[in-house]
Amino acid sequence: MRRKLVLILVDSLRTDMLQRTVASGTAPTLARLLDRGELVADCVSSFPSVTPVCTAEIVTGARPDTHRIPGMNWYHRAERRYVEYGSSWEATRTFGLFSALYDTVYNMNMAHLSPEVRTLYEHFGDAGIRSACTPFLMYRGRTRHELGLEGLLGAVAQAARFHHAVWGPDELFYGELYASRKVPCKPTLARPDVRDDYSACAGAELVGRDLYDFLLFSLPDNDHYSHRHGPEESEISITHADGCIAELMAPAGGVDDFLEENAVILMADHSQSEVDHEVDLAAHLEEHWHVLRPNEDSPEDSELAVGPSSRAAGVWILRDAARGRKLHEAGRAMLAEHPAVDLLCWLERDGDPVVRTRVAVPQGDRAVIEGEGGAALRFAPAVGGHRAGHLVTDRRGRGWRVEGELEALGAVRSGTELGTGRYPDALARVWAALHSPYASDLIVSATPGYEFVDWGGTSHVPGGSHGSLHECDSLAPLLTVGLDRELPAREQWAISDVAALALAHFGLAPDDAAATARARAVP
């Protein structure tokens, strides 16, 4: 008999902090899982390595070029406005509580996440496999759930006339807003540092009542704690997460009995790094150009839009192609001089930067990453598109044509094998980020130690943050225990691989990659 499967996601969990906490003796449940499982210590995150992008990648197995979610804050060309997914309370207030709530709770799943790619919940629903999740940004599935309107967030939603039903897994628990059934758990989605307790309570009900075959068990509070205190202090929040995992397993009789009936995948969406410098990227660009502000009175006068995503940011050109290319070049030159800017990424076609005027898959023939001192590496997949340059293979076995300076990434080439040093899986991550239909014209990755302030004027300095292409934000643990199939041999794992692992456990296959690629275009 096939075991059920529980995917445990501890937000911002770093491998070294997981191991340190286990070694201290304060995380006995995680210790038992590590003893019985297989650990990948350096699973690669998405880019930008922020939660909306990463969670979309985890539940779809696709990257931003296919799932379409481009960042934490981004400019929607078709709607001529910023989308804000809750960077901070101050940013939420800047854009308006209703707008941010609508985007984060409803639009992210029902409008922005591509309808052409299936989530795990949709796969399992189509196969008659029962799915469930505790509060998690990505929940889209096949079962309709009405709004519950409980607690503080429910009162806010009611005041904002937010009344939408959603489609999710069979059992959906989303704090004050959606619950597929009554459980003796206090919903606390609006209050950081206590959300893990709600997940643990709801998860224990699911285990005790045998209400799932697949459960996504989300523990988000380690992220908030690491933001406030820095990831080096996260033993406290990891210890608390350990207790919540123990609470989940208790109705089955504890760890050993739980693992008799359940396989486990434990992972993080990204990691975090220490930050001690904040930079207002929009204000910096406003020294020369008109940057679109939230709720701008005359948006037609704006030349640029800026979307901060913690340690990454997008810059959108709001002018026609001819003027836009000049803005692109001048903006790059200005940003390259700033110490907070580690890497600049963009697309080119026939040697010119690609400037988009609508929501569509960009038609660039190669991507560019520019690093310190103006060193630039140009690249494209080896199949199709730009064919000039040297053929190399990355650690995941994908072929690329590269031109220019490997020093832009500190990359090393050995024969046809390319290692990208401090920027794991850099070519594929940047290519996917730039090819989202909603992507910016220019993506900025921050220097370690720096964070871009959000539109509420806030940052996590001093504390922890994430978002960049650098390994300090991008490597996290992936632990598997009791899967029906052994892990396939792979030199480098990524969070995009997890969906296929979950599907294979139930004898299902991911969506055909070619069909997914054809679905990228946005009408």
Side-chain angles (χ1 to χ4, degrees):
M1 178 178 167
R2 181 185 289 119
R3 292 183 178 100
K4 293 180 282 188
L5 175 61
V6 179
L7 172 56
I8 302 173
L9 194 139
V10 183
D11 202 328
S12 289
L13 181 65
R14 272 183 15 182
T15 303
D16 61 336
M17 294 308 302
L18 167 64
Q19 294 171 325
R20 185 188 304 178
T21 307
V22 166
S24 73
T26 62
T29 306
L30 289 167
R32 297 284 290 280
L33 293 175
L34 282 169
D35 285 342
R36 296 186 57 164
E38 186 173 351
L39 176 65
V40 175
D42 58 350
C43 184
V44 182
S45 184
S46 191
F47 178 61
S49 46
V50 289
T51 300
V53 184
C54 298
T55 53
E57 186 163 324
I58 290 166
V59 301
T60 65
R63 288 188 163 174
D65 55 339
T66 303
H67 69 61
R68 300 181 183 172
I69 304 296
M72 180 66 74
N73 176 276
W74 51 280
Y75 178 72
H76 198 310
R77 289 188 182 276
E79 298 179 4
R80 298 184 179 181
R81 68 176 185 94
Y82 286 111
V83 172
E84 169 59 44
Y85 290 147
S87 304
S88 67
W89 174 243
E90 291 80 5
T92 296
R93 289 194 302 175
T94 297
F95 288 96
L97 189 57
F98 172 71
S99 176
L101 180 70
Y102 199 93
D103 279 334
T104 305
V105 175
Y106 189 77
N107 279 338
M108 189 192 301
N109 282 269
M110 300 297 145
H112 303 151
L113 183 66
S114 171
E116 304 297 337
V117 61
R118 285 190 289 177
T119 68
L120 284 173
Y121 316 115
E122 290 169 327
H123 272 285
F124 293 137
D126 294 341
I129 295 169
R130 299 173 303 164
S131 63
C133 77
T134 62
F136 192 66
L137 283 181
M138 294 296 167
Y139 58 76
R140 198 182 73 196
R142 301 301 193 204
T143 302
R144 182 179 171 88
H145 298 276
E146 299 290 342
L147 193 66
L149 296 178
E150 295 182 23
L152 175 61
L153 192 58
V156 170
Q158 194 166 27
R161 297 182 180 178
F162 182 91
H163 56 270
H164 296 280
V166 296
W167 293 86
D170 299 287
E171 301 289 341
L172 172 64
F173 293 94
Y174 199 92
E176 297 93 328
L177 297 180
Y178 301 98
S180 50
R181 64 182 65 231
K182 290 285 186 181
V183 291
C185 311
K186 185 178 180 180
T188 54
L189 197 63
R191 295 175 57 205
D193 288 335
V194 294
R195 293 173 294 185
D196 284 7
D197 295 327
Y198 173 73
S199 276
C201 179
E205 289 291 313
L206 290 164
V207 171
R209 300 187 196 183
D210 186 22
L211 294 173
Y212 68 94
D213 298 306
F214 169 79
L215 166 62
L216 197 155
F217 182 63
S218 173
L219 297 172
D221 287 338
N222 181 63
D223 179 71
H224 185 258
Y225 192 93
S226 299
H227 276 310
R228 288 186 63 189
H229 304 285
E232 295 290 336
E233 303 300 321
S234 63
E235 281 189 51
I236 292 173
S237 51
I238 296 171
T239 297
H240 185 71
D242 183 271
C244 291
I245 297 170
E247 184 177 344
L248 169 77
M249 297 180 174
V255 178
D256 292 334
D257 289 338
F258 182 84
L259 292 177
E260 287 295 317
E261 296 185 357
N262 294 268
V264 170
I265 299 174
L266 185 142
M267 66 180 302
D269 47 352
H270 50 72
S271 56
Q272 280 201 27
S273 57
E274 303 283 342
V275 287
D276 48 22
H277 294 85
E278 64 177 28
V279 173
D280 188 335
L281 196 67
H284 182 61
L285 290 168
E286 276 184 330
E287 294 176 11
H288 295 278
W289 301 285
H290 186 165
V291 174
L292 180 69
R293 287 274 163 181
N295 310 310
E296 180 90 42
D297 290 333
S298 302
E300 65 277 2
D301 296 333
S302 301
E303 297 170 286
L304 304 174
V306 175
S309 286
S310 296
R311 289 191 8 86
V315 179
W316 287 258
I317 309 296
L318 307 183
R319 287 289 181 263
D320 60 53
R323 170 63 177 150
R325 284 193 289 271
K326 294 179 181 179
L327 274 172
H328 199 292
E329 294 164 1
R332 291 197 325 261
M334 182 180 184
L335 289 171
E337 298 298 319
H338 200 290
V341 175
D342 185 27
L343 301 173
L344 294 169
C345 310
W346 69 94
L347 290 175
E348 283 187 347
R349 185 167 186 82
D350 299 328
D352 291 323
V354 173
V355 175
R356 284 178 264 190
T357 58
R358 61 189 179 92
V359 177
V361 177
Q363 299 302 309
D365 54 19
R366 59 184 178 179
V368 187
I369 300 175
E370 181 179 290
E372 185 176 358
L377 180 65
R378 288 170 166 82
F379 61 96
V383 291
H386 183 72
R387 295 183 180 275
H390 300 287
L391 176 64
V392 298
T393 304
D394 63 25
R395 288 185 62 197
R396 289 177 58 81
R398 188 173 181 182
W400 300 91
R401 294 284 181 182
V402 299
E403 297 178 78
E405 300 158 288
L406 298 180
E407 293 79 9
L409 287 172
V412 177
R413 182 181 171 191
S414 177
T416 60
E417 295 182 1
L418 182 71
T420 51
R422 300 184 303 273
Y423 307 96
D425 200 20
L427 305 190
R429 292 165 70 200
V430 169
W431 185 266
L434 289 168
H435 281 82
S436 167
Y438 299 129
S440 55
D441 298 299
L442 182 64
I443 302 178
V444 185
S445 184
T447 305
Y450 285 85
E451 183 182 21
F452 301 123
V453 300
D454 62 31
W455 278 113
T458 67
S459 74
H460 300 104
V461 174
S465 191
H466 51 93
S468 79
L469 193 69
H470 197 279
E471 63 184 359
C472 63
D473 298 347
S474 302
L475 298 179
L478 171 62
L479 174 68
T480 59
V481 187
L483 291 180
D484 261 14
R485 304 185 183 189
E486 292 183 2
L487 288 185
R490 195 183 296 275
E491 187 175 351
Q492 186 170 66
W493 284 85
I495 61 173
S496 56
D497 298 321
V498 171
L501 289 179
L503 292 170
H505 180 76
F506 292 99
L508 303 177
D511 288 328
D512 177 70
T516 307
R518 288 195 298 270
R520 287 189 209 156
V522 174

